Amino acid sequence: MTGQTRRILIVEDEAQTRSVVEAYLEREGYWVTGVGNGEQALEAFGAHTYDGVILDLNLPGLPGEVVCRRIRDVSDVPIIMLTAKGAEEERIAGLDLGADDYLVKPFSPRELVARLRALLRRAKAETEPQRSRVEYGPLEIDLAGHKVFVDGEEAELTASEYKLLTTLSRYPGRVYSRMELVEKVLGYDFEGYERAIDSHIKNLRAKLGDDPKEPRFIHTVFGVGYRFESPVEAQ
Ligand code: CA
């Protein structure tokens, strides 16, 4: 990923949970500020720029809902809400208040890190300037018109195939796992759908005239997933 250190604010009054999460995030290379209540959270948020916020809903003093709303009033920063087990209403409230995701306690710190990473990636992609047309040698993508051309001929892609192609080609050379592609392209994350990605890839390759044995564009990374290569850059 990028060499830039991401700054994360964690708001949690339970010291043990907070320090476990802090330790995990620091090990992942994040720069972490941990605070124990909402007042300190808003103070820290006002004083520094953060790339992500992990916010416990159940806080002493200023409630997590209020903290979330105040942050949302001034920022689009990704927020992950921590909620009590089974508190369905709390979760819904959290998402209504503008949180991007939530985790139910007790949660696995590894899952938290994975969700945070996915959110940060999405946030970054959304802020990048949009080009209307990109070219990778014989492959041309008209992003404004949602059209794809190979050797000057239009390839008729389904919505999922188009999303798959634009996702992969956004970062040539980057390897995407099937699971990641399921999440990005199909919009949900369920293990059984990894095979669906394989069949979308198969159809996409057929439409692009891409031979899996000698791919021009979409390369299989065995045991992991796929990556896109621009024929121009590869030369
Ligand atoms: Ca709490």
Side-chain angles (χ1 to χ4, degrees):
M1 294 198 88
T2 61
Q4 200 194 340
T5 305
R6 306 299 195 91
R7 298 170 76 124
I8 308 298
L9 177 64
I10 163 155
V11 193
E12 166 64 90
D13 57 307
E14 291 151 50
Q16 205 195 335
T17 308
R18 192 175 65 229
S19 61
V20 168
V21 171
E22 278 181 31
Y24 257 85
L25 292 176
E26 277 167 4
R27 205 185 309 157
E28 293 287 318
Y30 294 101
W31 190 93
V32 188
T33 305
V35 297
N37 63 51
E39 288 81 0
Q40 289 172 355
L42 293 176
E43 198 177 302
F45 198 81
H48 302 280
T49 304
Y50 289 95
D51 299 295
V53 177
I54 296 162
L55 175 65
D56 184 26
L57 203 49
N58 256 315
L59 294 170
L62 207 59
E65 289 95 326
V66 176
V67 178
C68 185
R69 208 179 307 130
R70 297 244 179 108
I71 289 176
R72 262 298 162 265
D73 282 346
V74 296
S75 167
D76 290 328
V77 68
I79 300 176
I80 297 182
M81 210 74 138
L82 305 178
T83 71
K85 191 170 193 239
E88 185 73 28
E89 279 172 23
E90 275 193 354
R91 280 180 250 166
I92 294 164
L95 296 180
D96 282 349
L97 291 168
D100 297 277
D101 203 352
Y102 64 83
L103 272 173
V104 179
K105 290 178 175 181
F107 55 87
S108 113
R110 276 183 57 203
E111 189 181 357
L112 174 62
V113 169
R115 299 260 197 115
L116 180 66
R117 201 182 290 144
L119 269 182
L120 295 179
R121 216 165 32 219
R122 234 175 291 157
K124 182 170 176 280
E126 276 163 19
T127 54
E128 276 170 4
Q130 297 287 316
R131 287 170 297 173
S132 64
R133 211 175 179 85
V134 281
E135 270 185 54
Y136 306 98
L139 176 72
E140 212 179 300
I141 306 175
D142 172 1
L143 294 164
H146 279 228
K147 286 188 177 133
V148 173
F149 301 88
V150 185
D151 301 315
E153 296 277 320
E154 186 175 352
E156 304 273 349
L157 305 187
T158 64
S160 295
E161 289 158 6
Y162 178 80
K163 191 81 198 289
L164 189 53
L165 179 62
T166 51
T167 300
L168 285 167
S169 63
R170 188 175 195 112
Y171 301 103
R174 181 194 185 290
V175 177
Y176 287 86
S177 71
R178 288 184 178 81
M179 204 55 198
E180 234 181 312
L181 292 172
V182 168
E183 204 184 294
K184 284 179 183 295
V185 175
L186 305 176
Y188 37 68
D189 51 353
F190 182 64
E191 229 154 313
Y193 290 101
E194 292 183 320
R195 293 292 150 226
I197 286 298
D198 290 342
S199 55
H200 284 311
I201 288 275
K202 189 168 164 250
N203 296 337
L204 181 57
R205 276 172 164 160
K207 289 181 183 179
L208 299 180
D210 211 13
D211 179 356
K213 290 191 187 104
E214 276 177 67
R216 284 198 290 179
F217 311 114
I218 298 170
H219 298 246
T220 303
V221 182
F222 289 101
V224 184
Y226 300 96
R227 71 166 200 277
F228 178 92
E229 292 288 353
S230 173
V232 169
E233 285 161 22
Q235 274 166 13

